[in-house]
Amino acid sequence: MPQLDVDGARLAYDDEGPRDAADAPLVFVHGWTANRHRWDHQTAHFSARRRVIRLDLRGHGESTGAGVPTIAHLAADVVALLDHLGVERCVLVGHSMGGMIAQTVTLAHPDRVERMVLVNSIGRMTYSRGRGLLMAASTLVPFRLFVAANIQRAFAPGYPREEIRAHVRASAATPREVVMTLYGAMRAFDVLDRAGEISVPTLLVHGYHDVQLPVRQMLRLAKACPDAVVRILDAGHELPLEKPAELTGALDSFLTAKS
């Protein structure tokens, strides 16, 4: 497993597939409390014919490092990895917080992104008064309960409970400081007013049952993006886990469509 030292963190990453492929590399960025293995299905599918890169964000999975106060800090890590690997232009795919990172990279470095795919992601964190109070109160409970409350509600009704419990345990293994710091970074994230600057072809894939980041919030971003395609799947917030084959199919169709 290769690693890269970046600004006090050691980032674990995978770099698979043919380096001489004609198509731009795919770069996958996972979400909050997850790791690069969220993209196992997509990596297995695409790496046979094109270069596929995925990383564990700082403090997640097999990467070290403390939490950072803004999504822009995580975006800088992704750009540092692209520089290290000599990737000048890529297709950037991000899930949830990873989608926030992808938007930040695309806005800051539009020349580095050929296409962008946002999975269960939005351009601005917006809460009703009631949900805002509930989210604030959830930070006061014990850490394990905080993680469990957030992860359990990420899945659509009917997802196997034992698998949900396993994902709760994996998420709770992420250091508390990293989890809580990045929770604050996500709550402060807001690039919706700049979405019109995103000129690259963009696919927004979302779960119909997503209560973490509801569909209506994603649609605000889709409306603001000048070149966006929307796909709604029968799933919750964890599309890479709930519907891996359908997500891969949506991504495949988007990549082979004419600009």
Side-chain angles (χ1 to χ4, degrees):
M1 175 194 63
Q3 297 177 318
L4 174 66
D5 290 332
V6 179
D7 193 23
R10 177 162 293 178
L11 305 180
Y13 66 92
D14 296 320
D15 184 2
E16 304 178 42
R19 304 295 188 276
D20 58 352
D23 296 316
L26 290 168
V27 178
F28 289 96
V29 187
H30 66 77
W32 183 63
T33 77
N35 60 56
R36 69 190 191 277
H37 292 291
R38 279 292 196 275
W39 306 109
D40 281 351
H41 191 280
Q42 292 73 38
T43 298
H45 177 81
F46 288 107
S47 62
R49 63 180 188 271
R50 66 193 297 166
R51 189 177 184 182
V52 176
I53 298 162
R54 55 181 177 167
L55 78 157
D56 285 341
L57 296 168
R58 58 173 59 227
H60 291 70
E62 296 179 272
S63 292
T64 66
V68 288
T70 71
I71 297 299
H73 285 82
L74 298 176
D77 288 345
V78 173
V79 173
L81 179 60
L82 296 180
D83 291 342
H84 173 71
L85 296 176
V87 175
E88 296 182 1
R89 194 165 170 83
C90 69
V91 175
L92 199 50
V93 185
H95 172 241
S96 191
M97 184 179 74
M100 299 177 187
I101 295 168
Q103 292 172 70
T104 304
V105 172
T106 301
L107 286 167
H109 305 279
D111 57 316
R112 306 290 295 268
V113 181
E114 181 177 282
R115 292 183 178 225
M116 181 171 64
V117 181
L118 306 179
V119 182
N120 293 103
S121 196
I122 57 177
R124 172 187 293 156
M125 290 293 274
T126 305
Y127 300 110
S128 66
R129 179 176 174 79
R131 184 162 184 240
L133 290 172
L134 178 64
M135 297 297 285
S138 71
T139 65
L140 303 177
V141 303
F143 177 64
R144 181 60 184 257
L145 292 179
F146 169 78
V147 173
N150 279 278
I151 301 305
Q152 287 173 355
R153 66 199 303 270
F155 294 87
Y159 195 79
R161 295 185 64 82
E162 185 52 44
E163 291 189 32
I164 293 176
R165 285 192 285 268
H167 291 304
V168 168
R169 290 192 294 271
S171 293
T174 309
R176 184 184 190 282
E177 180 273 336
V178 172
V179 171
M180 301 310 295
T181 302
L182 292 180
Y183 177 75
M186 286 191 295
R187 293 192 69 183
F189 178 75
D190 185 357
V191 299
L192 188 59
D193 289 340
R194 297 189 61 198
E197 301 173 30
I198 298 174
S199 59
V200 302
T202 300
L203 172 66
L204 295 96
V205 192
H206 220 84
Y208 178 80
H209 304 284
D210 189 346
V211 298
Q212 300 280 60
L213 304 179
V215 170
R216 65 181 180 276
Q217 293 190 26
M218 177 276 292
L219 292 176
R220 294 191 190 114
L221 176 61
K223 183 178 180 180
C225 285
D227 194 6
V229 175
V230 173
R231 287 287 304 274
I232 307 294
L233 301 181
D234 185 16
H237 183 68
E238 284 288 354
L239 262 175
L241 295 174
E242 296 175 72
K243 301 287 184 178
E246 290 185 34
L247 176 58
T248 297
L251 179 53
D252 214 352
S253 297
F254 176 66
L255 294 175
T256 55
K258 293 182 179 180
S259 299

